[in-house]
Amino acid sequence: MRAHWRTVLGISITVSVISEICGILVERFLMPEPPEVDPNATPSEALSQSVDSLQSSLLVMGPVLLITVIVTLFTTALLTVVISRSVLGHPVTLSDAWREARPRLPQLLGLTLLLPLVSAAIMTVGILPGLLLGDGPGIALAVLGGLAACGVILWLMIRFALASPALMLERQGVIPSLRRSAKLVQGAWWRTFGIVALTLLLTLLVSMIIAVPFSLIAFAVDGSGFSDLFAGTSPDFGWPFLIITGIGSVIASSITYPISAGVYVLLYVDQRIRREALDLELARAAGVPGYGSAPPGNASSRS
């Protein structure tokens, strides 16, 4: 990040600004007003209000998830190219990264969509028997099935954690990249899990450290939304609140995107070094004296 900060920040800031603007515009103009909550409602009315609130939340999450998928797609593709070149000590510009990453975007999109769909299918299989059974035993079965499904999903997500770098750098398809990731993670699941979990924790902490002050400033500037929040009604935040919190989100994303992408790419390179002596091929590709020249068509030319 220090050596290629112009390219890295150029990618992360550009993507963060565009995604935040899209998110603000969607939230401000396309999303319906949240349903009002009556604190004095009867139990049946409270249940109806809860269902309405859940439907409203799911409706809001749709565009947000779509924007998140697009952002993840572009940042993963571009930063993977930048970081893989930095391993060799080669400079790369934003245009170079885009030119190399662009042909792989359809396959990366397929991979990005496939993993959540697989997770959703596993969760459905886990909780569906309990939901069909109903009543007390059905609820207990659904909870147990959901916990078991979460364990399977976690195991698969770590097993396939290196699929994106494999897809981008080895120019493989979606299914071969999943097999490649499973092969690289085999025997190192717990180590990979620990590094991924620590990365998620660090990026979450960084995001919170940056977002909390901006949120407090936004609450102080937009007094109407703050008063609505304390009055127990749905807050109606104005443009000042959305803009200030958006700036905080852009700053946080510009820092966390490269860290997250960098960890996965370096994990991929690290596992290949441990299993396939990739360090020797990288040394040849980088032109390090004493290692000779890289033979045509070897793995380093693809990575």
Side-chain angles (χ1 to χ4, degrees):
M1 287 177 64
R2 287 196 302 267
H4 306 282
W5 64 270
R6 289 184 180 86
T7 304
V8 170
L9 288 182
I11 293 171
S12 58
I13 290 177
T14 300
V15 174
S16 300
V17 168
I18 293 174
S19 65
E20 196 62 34
I21 290 175
C22 292
I24 290 175
L25 293 177
V26 167
E27 182 178 352
R28 192 63 180 172
F29 295 112
L30 298 182
M31 292 296 99
E33 293 291 330
E36 293 292 336
V37 177
D38 183 8
N40 300 318
T42 63
S44 60
E45 292 173 343
L47 179 60
S48 177
Q49 290 176 3
S50 300
V51 173
D52 292 340
S53 298
L54 179 61
Q55 291 176 346
S56 177
S57 300
L58 292 176
L59 186 62
V60 171
M61 285 176 58
V64 173
L65 289 176
L66 178 60
I67 294 173
T68 301
V69 168
I70 295 174
V71 167
T72 302
L73 182 72
F74 281 97
T75 54
T76 300
L78 295 174
L79 291 174
T80 296
V81 174
V82 173
I83 296 165
S84 66
R85 292 296 173 267
S86 70
V87 171
L88 296 172
H90 295 168
V92 59
T93 63
L94 180 56
S95 60
D96 293 335
W98 171 247
R99 184 166 53 252
E100 185 166 343
R102 184 175 56 188
R104 308 301 301 161
L105 290 179
Q107 291 86 350
L108 187 59
L109 176 60
L111 178 64
T112 304
L113 295 176
L114 177 62
L115 294 178
L117 289 176
V118 170
S119 301
I122 294 173
M123 182 59 68
T124 301
V125 171
I127 65 175
L128 187 59
L131 295 178
L132 294 176
L133 186 60
D135 298 329
I139 294 175
L141 180 61
V143 171
L144 291 176
L147 292 175
C150 288
V152 174
I153 291 171
L154 176 62
W155 180 77
L156 284 177
M157 291 304 104
I158 298 301
R159 189 172 174 83
F160 297 146
L162 306 183
S164 294
L167 185 146
M168 291 296 301
L169 301 181
E170 298 184 24
R171 293 175 171 81
Q172 299 197 31
V174 174
I175 302 303
S177 67
L178 293 174
R179 295 197 191 101
R180 181 69 166 143
S181 176
K183 180 180 178 181
L184 291 174
V185 174
Q186 185 177 6
W189 191 96
W190 284 106
R191 177 174 177 271
T192 305
F193 168 75
I195 294 173
V196 170
L198 180 60
T199 303
L200 292 174
L201 177 61
L202 289 174
T203 53
L204 177 62
L205 290 175
V206 169
S207 299
M208 290 178 61
I209 290 172
I210 296 174
V212 168
F214 278 91
S215 298
L216 294 175
I217 295 172
F219 272 121
V221 172
D222 195 349
S224 59
F226 193 71
S227 60
D228 291 340
L229 190 65
F230 273 96
T233 60
S234 298
D236 183 19
F237 295 118
W239 283 106
F241 180 90
L242 296 176
I243 292 173
I244 294 173
T245 54
I247 293 173
S249 298
V250 168
I251 296 174
S253 300
S254 300
I255 297 173
T256 57
Y257 282 160
I259 294 175
S260 181
V263 166
Y264 285 100
V265 178
L266 294 178
L267 260 176
Y268 164 82
V269 174
D270 176 71
Q271 284 301 110
R272 289 196 61 184
I273 287 175
R274 293 170 184 267
R275 293 178 177 273
E276 303 170 356
L278 182 64
D279 50 332
L280 303 180
E281 297 182 10
L282 292 175
R284 296 189 191 101
V288 177
Y291 287 88
S293 59
N298 68 352
S300 63
S301 65
R302 298 194 305 271
S303 303

